[in-house]
Amino acid sequence: MDVKRHERFHLHSLDELRQAIGAMGLHIPVTTDVAVLGDPLELGGRCLPNRCLAQPMEGFDALPDGGPGPLSFRRYARYARGGFGLIWVEATAVLREARSNPGQLFLHRDNVDGFRRLVDETRRAARETFGRDLVLIIQLTHSGRYSKPDGMPRPLIAHRSPVLDPLHDLPADYPVVTDDYLDRLQDTYVEAARLAAQAGFDGVDIKSCHRYLVSELHASFTREGRYGGAFENRTRLLRETLARIRTEVPGVFVCTRLNAFDAIRHPYGFGVDVDDEKLPDLTEPIRLVRQLKETGISVLNISIGNPYFNPHYGRPYDFPIQGFQPPEDHPLCGIDRFLSITRAIQETFPDLPVVGSGYSWLRQFMPQVAAGVIRTGGATLFGIGRGAFAYPDGVRDLLEKGAMDPARCCVACSGCTQIMRDGGMTGCVVRDSEIYAPQYRLGRRFSVDRLRAEAKRCRDCEEATCTAGCPAHVQVPAFIKAFADGDLATAYVILRARNALPEMCAMVCPSEVQCEGHCLEKLFCDHPIPIRDIQRVVCRLARRAGMTGVRLPEQATGRTVAVVGGGPGGVAGAIRLLERGHAVTILERGERLGGTPDSIIPGERYREADTETEAILKPALAACRLTIRFGTVLGRDVSLTALCKQHDAVLLAPGLGKGATLGSAPNGVMQAMEFLRRVKTGGMKDVPPSVAVIGGGNTAMDAAVTARQLGARDVYLVYRRSFAEMPAWPAERDHFLASGGHCLVLTQPTGYLADATGRLEGVRVVRTELGEPDASGRRRPVPVTGSESVLRAGLVLEALGQEMSDELRGALDGLTLTAGGLVQTESPQSFRTSMHRVYAAGDIISGGTTAVQGIAEGLHAADQIHEDMTGRAG
């Protein structure tokens, strides 16, 4: 049989597998008798119903507090119903700083009840399906050099390594964790084990594999102190911690998943030959296992290498992970290496249950190899990692039918690993595609490597059309080029020069009709540069790296400005004024900054607006140059006249505050913006079966989609013109259509129908035809005589635009307003109002546009205020 390197899986029978093994001279046992996998086993005083276990595969789907989230519960219930006798729960951090991902599980006193529910529901799933219990082990971890608790690398390293440090861009003098830190970490592990016992876990694993902190300590030959150099020092943390847990937390048994071979050159790798890191030397790993056995471990889970960075010495993949080369040899060679190392340890300690793994590439033939390994004494238990993601009920099929379904097995595509690398929630992209294919695509959409490749397509146009299409006139080619070159700081500085809140805009602005809509690449290949996504990633990375704080001049000007309104325009104006050296007071009627985008745009598109604003404004608050007065309403708590007396200038950016209405409304009619606000804050969680939304703008689309998400069976979007003339952005319209709502175009609402109690029964409508264009440039809707009818609905949401509230109009007494009821400025290019030292920006002068338009106006207004106060620009 001709065997090629890098060969993908193309095996159709056990005979073909045996031929491939023989052709390469490998020692991989294969048997057709898999009954041994169903044999029970005593483990740590518990009875395992079979020899099959789900390995600790992280889902990164924790709640914000680190407790298990809905997908965590789903995953472990599926494993339990799928027949696994032992579930080794994924790596769970013992400290917040030890998390490798913001979505990683993190066990602490405040969320132990969530873990208890996870244990209870997993056990219940097994009992309901099989009438028996299973065994649950939790893996406790410190991610060490892979720590990314907030999504940005925060490495905590055990030793300096010329092999690993360059992979993490660590300088030669990067600090290592101290002995005192490691001493305290022992206490932390013991406390986490105590909490695990309270939650109901049977066993506790101190993770010591894949180069995480404990594993790295084992290779800390060059480290000085109590945790480095000599073998006893390098293994101290694992040995002493396991011994303490066994003594101090008697409710659980102890174990570890141990890297027996790092495949990193000596003296920076554990279990490697001194002269050739490709060869294992198990002298120290076996010595360590002997001591751990004396400590009283109940089971040993063997691993090798790192499955994410050198698949050659870890797990064989059919498709290499993004950015990594394929293995140098045939995947069966990698499996043989893994099995031989595991066998060497199992044969040395025949009475210690050892977990064998590394089988996933074998797909449906995993059981025949695992059974062969166990029958020949090469392991005691059959561990399934990626294969469990893909085929959670594979064990059930195996034990009941004698075989696994090849159409449901893991295809070793590395998709689950790629999601992890991209920071998403992890699972099987292929076999669990409804949930994880969108996660994969989302992760790839915002992955730095892909976006940098996309950025390199930019034509760096002179007189760039993308910049012309941006209301803030951001120098798009310049920030794109800086990002492509890996210069994050410069990219962010360029963004902030024209857009004070670029992260907000990257999430809520219609790039498809602004910057991206004007990109020349859209003409050449119908794929514009993903400007919005690049902007979002630049802003997120800059914020996490601490680059976003407002730059304050060393000397203040001594002048003060009051900014009314904490929405995009007001905050942008405040930022620019602070940058000019002025002191600013923001008056916001709500309890947080962010304005309309924060309060009504659905959370799936935009949440946590205060994260960006807090990061930007933090230096100004600390320097006492910024004051924020929440719960302050102009006209009620302070007058415009008083603000003018107290400050050198006033910038009005409060929004309009009132939605337009169809007329006298019965009970059951609500403003769409108020509806969205209540839903986003949790004040409204259900709707009637039938909902009508009046309007054709973005707010109407958001309201209609949200109503569907809340369970409305029928949602009718009622719009008096044609679909093509709807003012909503194309992406918003597509989102609505995808939600399954009904679009009633050429239908004009004329009033409401109510019952005798004043409760809404429906909306009166009339069909329309399109006549000649009106002042808006769109064809005027003309009612069709005799076409009146009633659209039955239990709730009507009005999205007919905004107008100035009576309260705000009264507070602005003395200012000149336009015929349309907006604040009038001295010219279209000016932000000065009819009142001296009072300026206006945002919805109050435009009637409501995009967030980036409001931001641009806030910046321009601030520049005009600065020039008027100081007599100079810039």
Side-chain angles (χ1 to χ4, degrees):
M1 181 178 182
D2 183 22
V3 178
K4 302 176 182 178
R5 291 185 175 185
H6 315 308
E7 187 172 308
R8 293 182 177 177
F9 183 94
H10 291 299
L11 301 172
H12 301 95
S13 68
L14 284 176
D15 284 341
E16 289 186 11
L17 174 61
R18 290 190 182 98
Q19 290 175 29
I21 292 169
M24 287 181 278
L26 304 177
H27 302 284
I28 300 177
V30 180
T31 179
T32 56
D33 184 1
V34 298
V36 67
L37 301 179
D39 288 350
L41 178 73
E42 191 277 332
L43 185 71
R46 281 77 167 172
C47 180
L48 284 183
N50 58 58
R51 302 296 182 93
C52 303
L53 70 91
Q55 291 279 34
M57 296 290 293
E58 292 134 310
F60 298 120
D61 42 31
L63 298 173
D65 72 349
L71 288 178
S72 309
F73 282 87
R74 175 182 182 267
R75 178 165 54 261
Y76 291 108
R78 294 177 88 205
Y79 291 165
R81 289 192 294 268
F84 286 99
L86 168 59
I87 297 177
W88 207 294
V89 172
E90 67 201 79
T92 301
V94 296
L95 291 167
R96 186 174 302 279
E97 68 200 45
R99 299 170 85 178
S100 65
N101 183 297
Q104 185 178 37
L105 294 179
F106 165 35
L107 175 60
H108 51 85
R109 291 182 181 180
D110 295 333
N111 66 8
V112 66
D113 287 343
F115 284 89
R116 183 181 295 112
R117 289 194 299 274
L118 179 68
V119 168
D120 292 345
E121 292 191 20
T122 303
R123 294 192 190 282
R124 185 180 305 116
R127 294 189 189 108
E128 290 175 353
T129 306
F130 301 103
R132 49 84 172 158
D133 206 345
L134 44 64
V135 175
L136 291 166
I137 296 172
I138 186 171
Q139 184 176 79
L140 302 178
T141 189
H142 188 301
S143 299
R145 67 172 57 242
Y146 301 110
S147 293
K148 294 196 293 185
D150 56 2
M152 290 291 288
R154 311 287 183 200
L156 293 161
I157 64 173
H159 65 261
R160 299 188 183 98
S161 168
V163 179
L164 299 178
D165 292 354
L167 298 176
H168 301 267
D169 296 322
L170 302 183
D173 59 350
Y174 192 84
V176 300
V177 293
T178 65
D179 285 2
D180 287 343
Y181 182 91
L182 297 174
D183 287 341
R184 294 193 302 272
L185 186 58
Q186 285 198 31
D187 297 332
T188 302
Y189 272 117
V190 173
E191 174 61 19
R194 190 172 289 113
L195 296 175
Q198 292 176 19
F201 287 98
D202 299 295
V204 169
D205 159 28
I206 303 302
K207 182 176 182 178
S208 53
C209 59
H210 304 160
R211 303 180 196 153
Y212 291 83
L213 186 63
V214 178
S215 175
E216 187 171 312
L217 280 169
H218 294 166
S220 291
F221 293 90
T222 60
R223 179 189 174 95
E224 298 179 352
R226 298 180 62 248
Y227 290 93
F231 173 85
E232 294 298 328
N233 289 344
R234 288 182 280 115
T235 60
R236 181 186 305 279
L237 183 65
L238 179 62
R239 291 183 296 99
E240 292 184 356
T241 301
L242 287 173
R244 286 186 57 188
I245 292 172
R246 191 162 187 269
T247 301
E248 299 176 35
V249 191
V252 296
F253 62 79
V254 294
C255 54
T256 188
R257 191 169 196 210
L258 175 71
N259 244 42
F261 171 53
D262 284 349
I264 298 175
R265 64 181 169 86
H266 185 80
Y268 308 106
F270 181 64
V272 298
D273 184 88
V274 173
D275 299 317
D276 187 351
E277 71 269 20
K278 293 182 179 180
L279 299 178
D281 180 347
L282 300 182
T283 304
E284 285 200 339
I286 287 174
R287 180 182 175 186
L288 175 57
V289 174
R290 180 170 287 109
Q291 293 184 0
L292 295 179
K293 190 170 181 293
E294 293 170 358
T295 297
I297 62 170
S298 296
V299 59
L300 177 67
N301 197 336
I302 292 296
S303 190
I304 66 174
N306 185 311
Y308 311 128
F309 293 95
N310 59 346
H312 186 168
Y313 296 107
R315 319 289 185 271
Y317 290 85
D318 254 9
F319 307 93
I321 305 169
Q322 294 285 341
F324 291 91
Q325 294 298 316
E328 296 176 2
D329 53 16
H330 192 282
L332 286 174
C333 296
I335 294 170
D336 180 73
R337 181 183 299 108
F338 205 146
L339 298 186
S340 66
I341 291 172
T342 304
R343 175 180 295 277
I345 294 173
Q346 179 68 90
E347 289 180 346
T348 304
F349 306 100
D351 58 341
L352 174 66
V354 174
V355 179
S357 56
Y359 303 106
S360 288
W361 185 85
L362 294 166
R363 304 192 188 188
Q364 68 268 27
F365 304 127
M366 286 194 298
Q368 288 79 9
V369 172
V373 169
I374 292 174
R375 286 189 179 279
T376 57
T380 307
L381 293 159
F382 170 30
I384 308 177
R386 293 172 294 159
F389 269 168
Y391 195 176
D393 49 353
V395 172
R396 183 174 182 176
D397 281 355
L398 171 66
L399 298 180
E400 293 181 358
K401 302 175 183 177
M404 285 185 168
D405 182 352
R408 302 184 64 194
C409 289
C410 170
V411 299
C413 67
S414 79
C416 55
T417 298
Q418 189 62 54
I419 300 178
M420 179 275 297
R421 289 176 53 78
D422 290 336
M425 294 185 289
T426 306
C428 184
V429 179
V430 176
R431 307 301 190 199
D432 204 359
S433 58
E434 184 175 349
I435 290 177
Y436 293 106
Q439 280 291 315
Y440 181 90
R441 293 192 295 269
L442 184 65
R444 286 282 79 205
R445 174 184 168 186
F446 293 109
S447 62
V448 172
D449 64 305
R450 188 192 75 85
L451 289 177
R452 282 203 174 129
E454 287 288 292
K456 291 176 182 177
R457 291 196 294 119
C458 178
R459 294 172 180 265
D460 194 17
C461 304
E462 187 70 19
E463 300 298 331
T465 52
C466 52
T467 292
C470 171
H473 297 295
V474 168
Q475 298 300 308
V476 176
F479 104 77
I480 293 291
K481 184 178 187 305
F483 174 74
D485 292 342
D487 190 348
L488 175 66
T490 297
Y492 185 72
V493 167
I494 294 169
L495 277 169
R496 273 285 298 278
R498 298 289 182 91
N499 187 339
L501 297 169
E503 189 170 2
M504 172 190 286
C505 292
M507 288 188 276
V508 305
C509 283
S511 63
E512 68 276 9
V513 298
Q514 293 180 341
C515 55
E516 290 179 22
H518 291 75
C519 175
L520 294 189
E521 282 293 280
K522 183 176 176 63
L523 301 177
F524 287 108
C525 63
D526 200 32
H527 294 291
I529 306 299
I531 300 168
R532 175 171 55 186
D533 291 350
I534 294 173
Q535 179 172 322
R536 185 169 174 177
V537 167
V538 166
C539 294
R540 184 182 67 210
L541 295 177
R543 173 167 50 80
R544 291 174 176 173
M547 299 178 181
T548 58
V550 62
R551 279 88 167 159
L552 301 175
E554 187 173 339
Q555 295 296 324
T557 64
R559 294 180 174 87
T560 67
V561 181
V563 176
V564 179
V571 172
I575 291 169
R576 180 58 58 83
L577 290 163
L578 290 164
E579 290 172 338
R580 299 290 189 251
H582 310 304
V584 175
T585 297
I586 299 176
L587 293 84
E588 164 58 37
R589 69 181 302 140
E591 297 304 320
R592 53 188 278 165
L593 302 179
T596 299
D598 175 53
S599 62
I600 74 164
I601 293 179
E604 65 188 52
R605 287 175 47 216
Y606 186 50
R607 65 174 67 249
E608 299 178 351
D610 55 337
T611 303
E612 180 184 25
T613 54
E614 283 181 5
I616 293 174
L617 296 176
K618 184 177 180 180
L621 289 166
C624 297
R625 294 195 191 179
L626 172 65
T627 301
I628 305 176
R629 293 169 56 184
F630 290 111
T632 303
V633 178
L634 184 66
R636 184 193 71 185
D637 303 305
V638 64
S639 69
L640 183 56
T641 301
L643 289 179
C644 289
K645 290 179 179 179
Q646 297 164 6
H647 300 277
D648 295 291
V650 177
L651 173 58
L652 299 172
L656 291 169
K658 180 182 178 182
T661 182
L662 188 61
S664 179
N667 185 17
V669 177
M670 182 185 298
Q671 285 292 313
M673 292 180 68
E674 178 59 24
F675 166 73
L676 290 168
R677 186 176 292 109
R678 290 190 192 180
V679 172
K680 193 166 185 179
T681 58
M684 191 167 185
K685 298 182 179 179
D686 54 53
V687 293
S690 181
V691 178
V693 180
I694 301 175
N698 296 323
T699 300
M701 302 298 165
D702 282 340
V705 171
T706 300
R708 282 283 292 164
Q709 292 171 340
L710 289 183
R713 182 185 63 225
D714 294 302
V715 175
Y716 303 96
L717 189 73
V718 183
Y719 182 61
R720 59 182 183 160
R721 289 187 169 94
S722 69
F723 185 82
E725 292 175 297
M726 282 184 175
W729 304 328
E732 290 291 295
R733 289 187 242 167
D734 292 345
H735 194 199
F736 164 71
L737 294 175
S739 75
H742 312 298
C743 191
L744 303 185
V745 295
L746 297 174
T747 304
Q748 182 168 316
T750 60
Y752 297 110
L753 177 68
D755 63 17
T757 66
R759 178 69 195 176
L760 173 75
E761 290 189 338
V763 56
R764 300 182 189 276
V765 297
V766 61
R767 297 292 296 161
T768 63
E769 295 177 342
L770 295 182
E772 295 302 313
D774 59 17
S776 71
R778 293 174 296 168
R779 295 175 65 188
R780 181 173 59 87
V782 179
V784 176
T785 303
S787 65
E788 296 84 359
S789 64
V790 174
L791 176 64
R792 300 285 174 175
L795 173 66
V796 172
L797 303 173
E798 295 182 327
L800 298 170
Q802 299 181 71
E803 57 190 33
M804 190 179 294
S805 68
D806 296 337
E807 179 185 48
L808 180 58
R809 187 185 298 270
L812 301 181
D813 185 38
L815 287 182
T816 301
L817 303 183
T818 67
L822 303 174
V823 170
Q824 182 171 302
T825 57
E826 62 181 19
S827 74
Q829 290 74 41
S830 173
F831 299 90
R832 301 184 188 97
T833 70
S834 59
M835 187 177 292
H836 182 54
R837 294 187 293 114
V838 176
Y839 303 75
D843 293 354
I844 201 171
I845 63 172
S846 67
T849 55
T850 62
V852 70
Q853 180 67 40
I855 289 168
E857 291 176 359
L859 293 176
H860 291 320
D863 287 338
Q864 196 166 46
I865 292 170
H866 172 74
E867 185 174 355
D868 288 351
M869 287 195 304
T870 64
R872 62 180 186 273

